[in-house]
Amino acid sequence: MKVLENFSLKKFNTFGIDVSAKYFLEAGSVSDIQSYLDDKRVGELPRLILGGGSNILFTKNFDGVVLKNNIRGIELLAQDQEHYYLKVGAGEVWHQFVMHCIQKNYAGVENLSLIPGSVGAAPIQNIGAYGVEQKEVFHELEAIDLKENKLVVFSKSDCQLGYRDSIFKREAKGKFIITSVTFKLFKTPKLNTSYGAIGQELEKMEAKEVSIAAISQAVCNIRRSKLPDPEKIGNAGSFFKNPVVSNEKYESLKKDFHGISAYKDNAGMKLAAGWLIEQCGWKGKQVGNTGVHKDQALVLVNYGNANGAEVFDLSGKILQSVKEKFGVELEREVVIV
Ligand code: EPU
């Protein structure tokens, strides 16, 4: 594997922040990663595993090894009466995997169309959108245990998948490199159009029938209309999680703030953070080189030359004003490095 020194990461993070890695290498296979881990020169330096770089904010140069996971391949492992089991390399681009499924008529990921990032990152934050979470199609994954340098399997329950959460954000953080994910896709689609905007978009599209391809197209249209394209304007999608509050807290907020946007959640009510941020007057605001997207207040953007610290500072100001106005603590979803 070729090790590059003082390598710019600008093209490897969707925020487009110009920082560098002391060492950078791309791994195309499990054995690539294992031989890297065996190499004492680089194996003991601080390391960062990079997928699509779409959920990360670099605030400084990385003084260690950045390993870009480039393991490819989509393999139909098995099928039963109701399912297809697909083993997908962690370095595959998530949306390309979704497109593969639509083309083959494997159902279950259509609502997750156009989410930036790689397949290996999908279970880490259990990506979700438009009424569906990745955990609904997740079967198992393979990862390299960094301590032992050996391949291990995580079942669905091992991963402890929750809203924007998994064991890889907690106890297992930094201890494994995910190399492949096996998904369990459906032969008979369970079409999910419950998320309001999808129904409206399907009507607008005048789709003849609701199919997985039509849902995928509707989701792509909605995302393109609301979310900035990272190719044109740097961003990492939702910067914060939608906070969950108790039913009591929600009732008291509802009295004071009419039109508050919220959904029922297992633990109480999940508030739309975008709504809270908009109410604080941040939507569309530009602060130096950074700002809050004009069509979706949950998304912070880089207007070109922002550094990570500027974006981080802005996120701190937003956290503070939401806390002051609503007494609700937002949590950053993007990983800060
Ligand atoms: N809203 C506002 N103002 C805003 C943004 C949203 O009032 O600036 C309100 C909307 O009117 C709506 C509600 O908030 O009533 C929800 O908005 P939206 O459908 O855009 O979804 P979201 O809760 O803001 C979440 C995900 C998105 C995902 C969408 C669609 C999180 C943190 N974000 O956003 O994920 O695409 O739902 O399912 O859960 C991402 O993670 O990068 C991402 C884009």
Side-chain angles (χ1 to χ4, degrees), residues 130 163-164 195 226 238 240 242 261 272 278 283 296-297:
Y130 303 100
Y163 169 62
R164 306 282 152 130
Y195 208 88
K226 274 198 178 181
S238 303
F240 303 97
N242 283 331
S261 183
E278 182 174 349
K283 195 168 178 171
Q296 166 53 291

Side-chain angles (χ1 to χ4, degrees), residues 18 51 91 97 99 137 172 182 194 199 210-211 240 261 266 274 279 285 293 320:
D18 197 4
F97 159 61
M99 289 294 102
V137 290
T182 301
S194 60
V210 179
S211 59
F240 303 97
S261 183
N266 297 339
Q279 297 303 306
K285 260 212 175 140
H293 187 53
Q320 206 182 339

Side-chain angles (χ1 to χ4, degrees), residues 113-276:
S113 297
L114 217 60
I115 296 185
S118 65
V119 164
I124 299 180
Q125 62 153 336
N126 184 29
I127 57 172
Y130 303 100
V132 173
E133 284 186 11
Q134 178 268 173
K135 73 174 183 200
E136 290 160 48
V137 290
F138 179 89
H139 180 59
E140 64 181 26
L141 62 76
E142 282 181 348
I144 297 173
D145 177 337
L146 293 171
K147 213 161 140 205
E148 311 285 336
N149 196 1
K150 74 171 207 249
L151 210 55
V152 292
V153 174
F154 279 77
S155 69
K156 186 168 175 174
S157 63
D158 290 339
C159 292
Q160 300 173 16
L161 302 164
Y163 169 62
R164 306 282 152 130
D165 194 38
S166 74
I167 193 164
F168 300 103
K169 291 189 99 175
R170 293 178 275 108
E171 299 92 299
K173 191 172 174 179
K175 296 188 179 146
F176 298 90
I177 297 179
I178 296 171
T179 54
S180 72
V181 184
T182 301
F183 298 98
K184 188 175 170 180
L185 296 145
F186 303 103
K187 291 192 170 174
T188 309
K190 297 182 187 161
L191 300 173
N192 184 335
T193 57
S194 60
Y195 208 88
I198 295 191
Q200 288 156 24
E201 185 58 35
L202 286 169
E203 270 177 37
K204 219 160 82 190
M205 283 163 50
E206 294 178 7
K208 286 199 187 70
E209 54 157 357
V210 179
S211 59
I212 62 170
I215 292 182
S216 168
Q217 189 58 54
V219 168
C220 289
N221 294 350
I222 301 166
R223 291 187 74 98
R224 288 199 178 103
S225 74
K226 274 198 178 181
L227 299 167
D229 176 356
E231 293 285 329
K232 297 189 184 122
I233 179 159
N235 76 90
S238 303
F239 199 91
F240 303 97
K241 290 187 192 179
N242 283 331
V244 177
V245 298
S246 67
N247 291 322
E248 297 76 52
K249 173 75 182 168
Y250 172 66
E251 288 305 326
S252 94
L253 282 170
K254 211 164 72 171
K255 274 194 206 118
D256 295 336
F257 303 98
H258 297 293
I260 188 164
S261 183
Y263 308 85
K264 228 182 153 23
D265 184 85
N266 297 339
M269 290 297 282
K270 191 186 275 175
L271 307 179
W275 187 89
L276 301 173

